[in-house]
Amino acid sequence: MSISRGNSRPTQTGNSASSSSTTLPVAAAVKRSFVQDPTARTAPDLRRVSAFGIPLLDLAVFDILCCPEQVIDLKLIRKHRVLPLFQRSNRLFLAICDPADCSCLNDIKFHTGLLLDVVLVAVEQLQTAVTEFIARQETSQPLQQDWQDSRLEALHLEQVLPVMAEDAAIDEAPIVRFVNNLLLDAIASDASDIHIEPYERSYRVRFRVDGILREITRPPIRLAGRIAARIKVMAQLDISETRLPQDGRIKIRTSRLGAMDFRVNILPTMWGEKIVLRLLDSASARIGIDALGFTPEQKLLYLNALQRSQGLVMVTGPTGSGKSVTLYTGLNILNSSERNIATAEDPVEINIDGLNQVSVNAKQGFNFTAALRAFLRQDPDVIMVGEIRDLETADTALKAAQTGHLVLSTLHTNTAVQTITRLLDMGIAPFNLATSVSLIIAQRLARRLCSHCKESVSISEKVLSDAGFKPGQVAGNRLFRAGACEKCRNGYKGRVGIFEVVPIAESLSQSNMAGATPIELAALARAAGYRNLRESALAQVASGHTSLDEANRLV
């Protein structure tokens, strides 16, 4: 069955088998609803219909619940009073009441990028259907069902840097608004990362909140290229390059939270470009040492190491364990007019006034080692190296620590004593470590129990002992576990640090030079009274800050 253009009746073409296999749902509804009587009350002027060659549709026989929801922006639907009926590939069936309105059709083509097949509907029916469609859309979940509509009223995107010369029509484009709302949504959710991932038949967006990835929405896969291009424009990247990884940065300004930075990495995969945006909140560097989660003894050890005029302070842990925040907190304590502080980072994550921050660029030959050598000619007091990755950088950092400079850096190891082993494996001489390294901090971030819904539970002595608790450490043998309420996510909200802080005292230095194994070094640290990560995690459990399940997940 096909619909003839310019006639008031459908015509039969081809054999019945072929027509039944190619009939579209909208075409079938059009066939059933074709107006036979020109004098009917809801029928448009058939002379006008004949002139435009547009089929008629009776919406009374069409199920509005089947209308696609993520095709046309609601503002356009309100403005032009149109209704999307059905989408197949790059063609969209659109219900209209005025076929002479070319500006309406051109506007929808521009914003959707689809080819339009228009169907004429009586004005009264279309008004009712559009009202019902908009009401249903506005009551749905903002990101999951109506991802094009603005979801954050408290946050307003005032400025996106760099400022682009975009006209008002482009600013209102669904892709632009979707990306803007996605960034604002991540800020409102306290997410640390945004993952935008293409697959063969799907396209999904996930937020990492409190260290756990959770799916947020699945935009149409046909929008993958346009979303990637928009983010590249915002990050000042090459939109024509789709075969190589790219790194960039986005800065936005919100009316409530001020400026927020996003570090952008784009990685070509089998089915498209995966995009990861890391949220960099400058406020996190100013939370204060008391908010990190140190015990009083650990806090004192860190402060004593920061007040020394020379030495190397190492912060270790996996990616996303909060190493940068710990370093920035220390730099804020040291940041004063009496000190010259320089940092080499890849890239600079948080901009802090008073620090001379440098982004290294390995492609141009400006790596951490080159930055360190340049710093040493700048009369520094404190140097921060984003990460020690190789022997050359480690050797330069150790020599700087030996020549009257306080050096802070990070390394990827699991425990504090494994940092010594890692540096030895790089080729650092044991006596250099013994005379240079002053403090090693290993850390993790545990999800904090929600104070509104956490539940107290009684635990047997055997279970507590098997978990590693000391006798009497848990008051009344009662711990807390995650509950559930509207103010948290699965019983957790926020995170708390778990630390292993080990100063390199004389006994550890001598054992290191004597070739002690990591197990022997760890035993010496515990004998000296320094908690390991497991003991620190259990202390946070006993105090009610996190759950035993969370401690077991991390260490």
Side-chain angles (χ1 to χ4, degrees):
M1 176 70 66
S2 65
I3 301 171
S4 64
R5 303 291 181 179
N7 293 305
S8 60
R9 295 180 180 273
T11 59
Q12 189 79 18
T13 61
N15 56 58
S16 59
S18 63
S19 65
S20 62
S21 63
T22 59
T23 300
L24 297 178
V26 172
V30 170
K31 172 183 179 296
R32 293 193 303 271
S33 64
F34 223 85
V35 178
Q36 302 280 342
D37 183 5
T39 63
R41 183 179 61 86
T42 60
D45 186 347
L46 291 185
R47 291 172 297 177
R48 189 176 187 184
V49 174
S50 177
F52 285 98
I54 298 176
L56 307 178
L57 174 64
D58 181 5
L59 284 181
V61 299
F62 187 82
D63 187 1
I64 300 179
L65 294 177
C66 297
C67 295
E69 297 180 348
Q70 299 179 355
V71 179
I72 304 178
D73 187 17
L74 288 182
K75 285 186 177 180
L76 289 178
I77 294 178
R78 287 192 184 96
K79 177 181 178 182
H80 298 297
R81 309 305 293 179
V82 296
L83 183 68
L85 298 175
F86 177 76
Q87 181 184 354
R88 182 177 185 181
S89 186
N90 65 336
R91 304 192 71 88
L92 176 66
F93 283 81
L94 187 70
I96 63 173
C97 61
D98 185 4
D101 189 356
C102 295
S103 62
C104 161
L105 301 180
N106 291 334
D107 199 11
I108 293 174
K109 283 182 181 179
F110 174 79
H111 285 85
T112 63
L114 300 174
L115 300 176
L116 300 181
D117 284 336
V118 296
V119 178
L120 197 63
V121 176
V123 175
E124 298 87 346
Q125 287 186 339
L126 186 59
Q127 292 281 9
T128 303
V130 168
T131 302
E132 178 184 345
F133 180 80
I134 292 176
R136 181 163 53 89
Q137 287 284 83
E138 289 180 336
T139 57
S140 61
Q141 292 297 323
L143 268 182
Q144 295 179 351
Q145 296 183 14
D146 185 21
W147 55 268
Q148 294 174 352
D149 223 17
S150 176
R151 128 170 227 197
L152 299 177
E153 296 179 358
L155 293 174
H156 173 62
L157 192 64
E158 294 176 339
Q159 183 179 11
V160 177
L161 300 179
V163 178
M164 313 299 292
E166 299 177 351
D167 58 36
I170 296 179
D171 281 337
E172 288 298 316
I175 297 300
V176 174
R177 294 180 52 229
F178 171 64
V179 173
N180 290 348
N181 289 339
L182 192 65
L183 300 184
L184 293 175
D185 224 28
I187 296 173
S189 301
D190 294 325
S192 61
D193 301 88
I194 305 172
H195 291 245
I196 305 174
E197 303 163 316
Y199 298 98
E200 183 178 9
R201 294 184 178 87
S202 62
Y203 192 52
R204 71 175 177 180
V205 176
R206 295 189 291 173
F207 288 172
R208 186 181 293 277
V209 181
D210 294 338
I212 305 296
L213 278 171
R214 59 189 183 95
E215 185 173 316
I216 299 300
T217 186
R218 286 181 176 258
I221 193 171
R222 61 182 174 81
L223 301 180
R226 298 170 65 187
I227 292 174
R230 173 59 185 169
I231 293 176
K232 287 180 181 179
V233 168
M234 297 176 70
Q236 292 184 300
L237 300 177
D238 184 359
I239 63 173
S240 65
E241 179 58 72
T242 59
R243 297 173 296 176
L244 296 175
Q246 296 191 71
D247 291 288
R249 194 182 187 95
I250 297 173
K251 186 180 185 70
I252 71 172
R253 190 176 305 278
T254 63
S255 58
R256 191 181 70 180
L257 300 179
M260 285 289 297
D261 291 318
F262 294 80
R263 190 177 70 195
V264 182
N265 178 265
I266 298 180
L267 176 68
T269 66
M270 180 180 294
W271 304 111
E273 294 176 295
K274 174 177 179 178
I275 305 170
V276 176
L277 299 95
R278 166 71 56 92
L279 279 73
L280 307 174
D281 185 4
S282 59
S284 64
R286 298 188 293 271
I287 61 173
I289 192 170
D290 293 325
L292 293 179
F294 285 119
T295 65
E297 297 82 6
Q298 292 173 338
K299 172 185 172 181
L300 184 60
L301 290 172
Y302 189 28
L303 290 176
N304 288 340
L306 292 175
Q307 296 306 316
R308 297 180 62 174
S309 60
Q310 65 182 44
L312 176 61
V313 177
M314 300 289 298
V315 182
T316 74
T319 301
S321 58
K323 300 186 297 296
S324 296
V325 173
T326 301
L327 283 183
Y328 278 119
T329 301
L331 290 175
N332 268 321
I333 294 173
L334 296 171
N335 190 10
S336 66
S337 59
E338 292 83 16
R339 293 187 178 92
N340 177 21
I341 304 176
T343 73
E345 306 169 63
D346 183 22
V348 173
E349 294 190 357
I350 300 174
N351 181 31
I352 301 178
D353 288 339
L355 305 186
N356 304 294
Q357 297 174 275
V358 174
S359 288
V360 301
N361 191 330
K363 293 181 180 179
Q364 296 180 355
F366 186 59
N367 53 21
F368 284 117
T369 304
L372 275 171
R373 290 171 178 167
F375 289 164
L376 293 175
R377 294 190 289 271
Q378 292 272 318
D379 185 31
D381 297 301
V382 181
I383 297 173
M384 195 270 273
V385 183
E387 182 182 350
I388 292 179
R389 299 174 179 172
D390 50 48
L391 173 60
E392 191 176 15
T393 304
D395 186 59
T396 307
L398 288 169
K399 289 179 179 177
Q402 292 172 343
T403 55
H405 305 92
L406 178 63
V407 181
L408 293 80
S409 187
T410 69
L411 195 67
H412 288 281
T413 60
N414 291 326
T415 64
V417 296
Q418 286 181 9
T419 303
I420 298 176
T421 306
R422 176 73 183 278
L423 292 172
L424 291 173
D425 290 341
M426 285 184 180
I428 299 298
F431 64 86
N432 276 335
L433 288 179
T435 58
S436 303
V437 180
S438 58
L439 184 73
I440 302 176
I441 301 174
Q443 70 178 79
R444 301 288 190 275
L445 287 178
R447 290 180 293 171
R448 188 188 295 269
L449 285 170
C450 175
S451 59
H452 297 91
C453 65
K454 64 181 181 181
E455 303 171 352
S456 176
V457 58
S458 179
I459 307 294
S460 67
E461 286 282 357
K462 184 178 185 309
V463 173
L464 293 175
S465 176
D466 292 343
F469 287 100
K470 298 176 182 178
Q473 184 177 0
V474 180
N477 291 348
R478 300 192 70 83
L479 298 178
F480 289 93
R481 66 183 179 186
C485 71
E486 60 182 10
K487 297 184 179 181
C488 66
R489 307 173 189 90
N490 300 321
Y492 297 94
K493 186 173 184 179
R495 289 193 283 182
V496 61
I498 297 173
F499 297 93
E500 177 184 6
V501 183
V502 179
I504 306 302
E506 183 178 353
S507 59
L508 283 175
S509 298
Q510 291 176 350
S511 299
N512 173 41
M513 294 180 65
T517 64
I519 296 177
E520 293 171 340
L521 293 174
L524 285 173
R526 293 191 65 186
Y530 306 126
R531 287 177 173 175
N532 59 24
L533 285 171
R534 179 66 181 178
E535 291 171 334
S536 296
L538 293 180
Q540 295 286 7
V541 173
S543 62
H545 293 150
T546 190
S547 66
L548 184 58
D549 290 339
E550 182 70 2
N552 291 333
R553 182 180 71 88
L554 292 174
V555 291

